[in-house]
Amino acid sequence: MSFEPIIDVAEDADDLGARAAAWIAGRIAAAPGRFALCLSGGSTPRDVYARLAAAPLRERVDWSGVHLFWGDERFVPRDDERSNYRMAWDALIARVAIPRQQVHPLDVEAPTPQEAAARYDRLLHEFYGAPRLDPGRPLFDLALLGLGADGHTASLFPGSRALSADERLAVAVEGVMPEARVSLTYRALEASSEIAFLVCGEAKRQALRRVLDGDPSLPASRVLASAATRDAPLGAVRIFADRAAFPI
Ligand code: 6PG
């Protein structure tokens, strides 16, 4: 694989949160104007979001140009403790001056996960301003992703039909987790100028090793393989990992 991700190794979970939050704040601050940030769900990002919403980073970021999206969502009410939107609201959105119309959650009040995916697909295309993505013009400036111990990322799980659902930007995922989900497809995730994985804990060590080795059976591997295919520049994919997940 000619493409190598940048691996930022943190001492522990606390250090990972600090390093990732500072880097994300720097990327937003460096961007002129609008910044489309696609958030990850799960538990690891919570600390990162909380740090972005607290001093000193909160003052460093001009939130007025930031648009928030989600890489996946559990098909549950927004006030449900499983909701990725609720996690981001509690940790970040409620604490920073981001214009509410620039927060773009999935519509979990849609009648079905399939309809929610179709609505998000439309929302993303409307934001992008064109019916088809242009490789030279990214959809997101930065997409944050997690890594499951099984190698999943967003809600793209091993063996799922969602892995091949590339005709759209969002897809319903059912029968894998206790709750239905909606996930961005690879096409949407790969349409990000930069991607940052947040990987913490020994439980992720084997999956991360296999992803870095290019194991195609792990959904997260394709994110790196795709970066290689499109000859993405160095830094297009960054992995924030603590030593427990990436022993060096
Ligand atoms: C979700 C996430 C999922 C998550 C990984 C890692 O909705 O759960 O999108 O892909 O990022 O499962 O989760 P942790 O950060 O909790 O380990």
Side-chain angles (χ1 to χ4, degrees):
M1 180 187 295
S2 61
F3 176 83
E4 291 296 332
I6 290 177
I7 303 178
D8 183 306
V9 182
E11 286 303 316
D12 52 28
D14 191 56
D15 188 37
L16 186 151
R19 296 174 69 89
W23 179 79
I24 294 165
R27 301 309 290 152
I28 298 173
R34 191 171 87 170
F35 192 92
L37 175 59
C38 185
L39 298 178
S40 172
S43 58
T44 303
R46 184 191 299 272
D47 178 48
V48 177
Y49 301 163
R51 289 173 185 272
L52 286 168
L57 297 181
R58 179 174 52 198
E59 288 71 32
R60 193 177 303 169
V61 174
D62 175 4
W63 293 96
S64 66
V66 176
H67 286 254
L68 295 180
F69 302 87
W70 276 258
D72 71 330
E73 184 56 278
R74 292 83 179 275
F75 196 65
V76 297
R78 283 188 190 155
D79 61 357
D80 188 299
E81 63 180 10
R82 296 167 292 175
S83 166
N84 287 335
Y85 169 82
R86 173 178 166 181
M87 184 271 279
W89 172 269
D90 291 342
L92 173 64
I93 301 166
R95 304 162 184 244
V96 296
I98 184 169
R100 293 294 178 257
Q101 68 271 22
Q102 294 176 197
V103 177
H104 310 285
L106 282 98
D107 182 359
V108 292
E109 294 176 352
T112 64
Q114 290 74 12
E115 177 57 24
R119 292 179 186 181
Y120 213 53
D121 183 82
R122 288 196 293 272
L123 180 151
L124 291 170
H125 279 105
E126 286 167 13
F127 174 77
Y128 186 71
R132 298 194 62 77
L133 298 184
D134 173 351
R137 182 167 72 90
L139 170 61
F140 303 124
D141 294 286
L142 173 60
L144 303 179
L145 289 174
L147 177 66
D150 62 357
H152 79 262
T153 194
S155 281
L156 299 172
F157 293 91
S160 165
R161 283 180 290 125
L163 298 177
S164 55
D166 265 351
E167 68 285 354
R168 282 185 157 180
L169 300 180
V171 64
V173 180
E174 294 181 289
V176 180
M177 299 301 282
E179 69 283 326
R181 298 195 175 188
V182 179
S183 181
L184 293 195
T185 59
Y186 283 119
R187 172 182 290 192
L189 295 176
E190 290 160 2
S192 184
S193 179
E194 292 185 290
I195 291 172
F197 281 91
L198 306 174
V199 186
C200 187
E202 188 170 0
K204 308 298 178 70
R205 180 181 300 185
Q206 185 187 37
L208 180 55
R209 179 71 270 155
R210 289 171 62 190
V211 166
L212 292 172
D213 290 342
D215 182 340
S217 69
L218 272 60
S221 297
R222 173 169 154 177
V223 176
L224 273 67
S226 167
T229 305
R230 66 180 188 272
D231 200 19
L234 178 65
V237 178
R238 183 177 293 258
I239 300 174
F240 288 94
D242 67 350
R243 288 188 184 281
F246 187 73
I248 51 176

